[in-house]
Amino acid sequence: MARTQGSHSDITGPRVRAAALRLFASQGYAAVSMRKIASEVGLQVGALYNYTADKQSLLFDLMNEHLQALLEARANASANGDPMDRLQEFTAFHIRYHEERPDEVFIAYMELRNLSPENFVVIEKLRDRYEGELEAILSDGVRAGVFDLAEPKVSARAIISMLNGVTTWYRRGGRLSLDEVETVYWNMVRKAVSR
Amino acid sequence: MARTQGSHSDITGPRVRAAALRLFASQGYAAVSMRKIASEVGLQVGALYNYTADKQSLLFDLMNEHLQALLEARANASANGDPMDRLQEFTAFHIRYHEERPDEVFIAYMELRNLSPENFVVIEKLRDRYEGELEAILSDGVRAGVFDLAEPKVSARAIISMLNGVTTWYRRGGRLSLDEVETVYWNMVRKAVSR
DNA sequence: GTCTATATGCTGATAGAC
DNA sequence: GTCTATCAGCATATAGAC
């Protein structure tokens, strides 16, 4: 009997974060009250504070965990090899990873201004690291003479903006499959960086 | 003496909208109270309701006026001629027009979810019209054999997403001039659509 | 046109019973 | 771990004096 009856912290904690994620994504951080989150989980407000210090921590934790997982998922990607292959791999990865996590992605770039200044610095650093991975691919390609880009850093931002757009309109079961969408975007990215 | 002394509706109205615009853009619609807007203008809350029916109308009017002006500014653009020239003109126009109105642009795509359902429909239609102008250029280019795009509609969205990204990082007085930024983006757009 | 005062309800967060 | 009760403050919007 290692556990008190009625102790559900191991399951309730994730449910609180899941509810906050869904509500923040659909209504925005500022428009979601702790009461709404509690009622979504089936709790009273007070109980929420067993799982988070405050509302701000809830937002920060969601964004932080998302970006940590994103970088973790990229950890296996090769940093060597043909830049064109690496770029294709990055493009496919970005589209698929983000399509599977629309709420996390939405929050990660819509709610930056609702982070406290200290939390913002942390999140911004993680975003820069991810962007830096694409920039490295582009710079390597320019050095190798495969890509023609005057400003790899600016181009990296441009490509990520373009790819992020997918999450704003793509819906499963729509006219195009994700494979088809991936092909359309990859063709544009490939040509945009080429000589 | 055509005007009562102390009557400032002609000047106060625009100041209210300007304050709302600035505050909505920097803090988000839900996080900005009518009190904050009033104090920004130098009024008490009650006086605000001489200039707007409610907070929602304030948001809708800002977005509506922005999109109407955007479409108006495009009205002179030629719908004939070389698709490549028209695309370059669109790209330059979009970057410059949006760079001059960062707050309006930010609100127009960040605060869509805070519109009432009826208002959302109106705004969405205006956005579709603008997107449709780019799509028409791309489709014409595909027909003319100048562009190679399997999905002009998807490509239009991709290009607009990419161009919109400029407003999220570009700051005047930074390392690159707007001319240079425009060149970088135009080179990528041009290559992305070409055969 | 602007003010003050007010109605009514929600906010984040905490205290203490169970 | 969850509940109820409560705090102090702010939300949108309106009414009526000037």
Side-chain angles (χ1 to χ4, degrees):
Chain A
M1 178 139 41
R3 182 171 296 282
T4 309
Q5 205 200 11
S7 166
H8 295 300
S9 82
D10 51 341
I11 174 91
T12 308
R15 287 184 63 221
V16 169
R17 285 202 298 281
L21 176 69
R22 228 174 43 73
L23 291 170
F24 288 167
S26 66
Q27 304 178 35
Y29 174 78
V32 174
S33 67
M34 293 298 271
R35 276 171 176 76
K36 280 187 196 164
I37 297 171
S39 106
E40 183 83 2
V41 181
L43 294 175
Q44 295 300 317
V45 211
L48 241 45
Y49 291 86
N50 288 314
Y51 302 99
T52 183
D54 50 26
K55 195 185 169 191
Q56 169 71 205
S57 301
L58 214 36
L59 177 63
F60 172 74
D61 288 345
L62 288 172
M63 293 179 63
N64 191 44
E65 280 162 27
H66 167 60
L67 288 170
Q68 297 285 0
L70 176 67
L71 289 166
E72 181 71 24
R74 282 289 302 166
N76 298 329
S78 168
N80 302 306
D82 180 15
M84 190 64 90
D85 290 343
R86 286 161 62 201
L87 181 59
Q88 181 165 16
E89 197 274 326
F90 183 94
T91 302
F93 167 81
H94 187 95
I95 290 178
R96 293 196 173 270
Y97 190 89
H98 285 63
E99 191 274 333
E100 288 165 8
R101 296 161 184 81
D103 287 348
E104 283 90 340
V105 171
F106 202 66
I107 289 177
Y109 82 88
M110 294 285 277
E111 300 296 355
L112 284 168
R113 62 179 161 194
N114 284 311
L115 288 171
S116 69
E118 315 84 70
N119 286 342
F120 178 80
V121 172
V122 175
I123 297 299
E124 201 185 26
K125 203 164 286 177
L126 293 173
R127 289 168 61 93
D128 285 350
R129 266 179 55 196
Y130 183 69
E131 192 179 287
E133 295 205 13
L134 175 56
E135 190 194 337
I137 295 172
L138 298 183
S139 294
D140 289 352
V142 169
R143 249 191 308 276
V146 190
F147 298 159
D148 180 24
L149 297 168
E151 290 283 341
K153 193 174 194 67
V154 173
S155 294
R157 286 182 181 137
I159 290 171
I160 287 180
S161 289
M162 189 171 101
L163 298 179
N164 278 342
V166 176
T167 57
T168 65
W169 61 266
Y170 177 79
R171 295 295 174 267
R172 293 182 195 187
R175 187 169 61 85
L176 298 178
S177 71
L178 196 56
D179 274 349
E180 291 170 317
V181 173
E182 193 186 307
T183 301
V184 170
Y185 277 79
W186 166 238
N187 276 327
M188 293 184 73
V189 169
R190 175 179 54 76
K191 291 191 287 179
V193 303
S194 296
R195 307 207 130 266
Chain B
M1 182 138 40
R3 180 169 297 283
T4 310
Q5 206 202 11
S7 165
H8 296 299
S9 82
D10 52 340
I11 173 90
T12 308
R15 287 184 63 218
V16 168
R17 286 202 298 281
L21 175 69
R22 228 174 43 72
L23 290 171
F24 288 167
S26 66
Q27 305 176 35
Y29 175 78
V32 174
S33 67
M34 294 296 269
R35 273 174 176 75
K36 280 185 197 165
I37 298 171
S39 106
E40 184 81 4
V41 181
L43 294 175
Q44 295 301 316
V45 210
L48 241 45
Y49 291 85
N50 288 315
Y51 303 99
T52 183
D54 49 26
K55 194 184 168 189
Q56 169 70 204
S57 302
L58 213 38
L59 177 63
F60 172 75
D61 288 346
L62 288 172
M63 292 178 66
N64 191 44
E65 281 163 27
H66 166 61
L67 287 170
Q68 297 285 2
L70 176 68
L71 289 166
E72 180 71 24
R74 283 288 302 166
N76 298 328
S78 169
N80 303 305
D82 180 15
M84 191 63 90
D85 290 343
R86 286 161 63 203
L87 181 59
Q88 180 165 18
E89 198 274 328
F90 182 95
T91 301
F93 167 82
H94 187 95
I95 290 178
R96 292 194 173 271
Y97 191 89
H98 285 63
E99 191 274 332
E100 288 165 8
R101 296 160 186 81
D103 287 349
E104 283 90 339
V105 172
F106 201 67
I107 288 176
Y109 82 89
M110 293 286 277
E111 301 296 354
L112 284 168
R113 64 179 160 192
N114 284 311
L115 288 172
S116 69
E118 316 84 70
N119 286 342
F120 178 81
V121 172
V122 176
I123 297 299
E124 200 184 25
K125 202 164 287 177
L126 293 174
R127 289 167 61 91
D128 285 350
R129 267 180 55 197
Y130 183 68
E131 193 177 286
E133 295 207 12
L134 175 55
E135 190 193 338
I137 295 172
L138 298 183
S139 295
D140 288 352
V142 168
R143 250 191 308 279
V146 190
F147 299 159
D148 179 24
L149 297 168
E151 289 284 342
K153 195 176 192 64
V154 174
S155 293
R157 286 182 180 136
I159 290 171
I160 288 180
S161 289
M162 189 171 102
L163 298 180
N164 277 342
V166 176
T167 58
T168 66
W169 62 266
Y170 176 79
R171 294 297 173 267
R172 293 183 196 186
R175 187 170 61 85
L176 299 178
S177 72
L178 195 56
D179 273 349
E180 291 169 318
V181 172
E182 194 186 306
T183 301
V184 170
Y185 276 78
W186 166 239
N187 277 327
M188 293 184 73
V189 170
R190 176 179 54 76
K191 290 192 289 178
V193 302
S194 296
R195 306 207 133 266

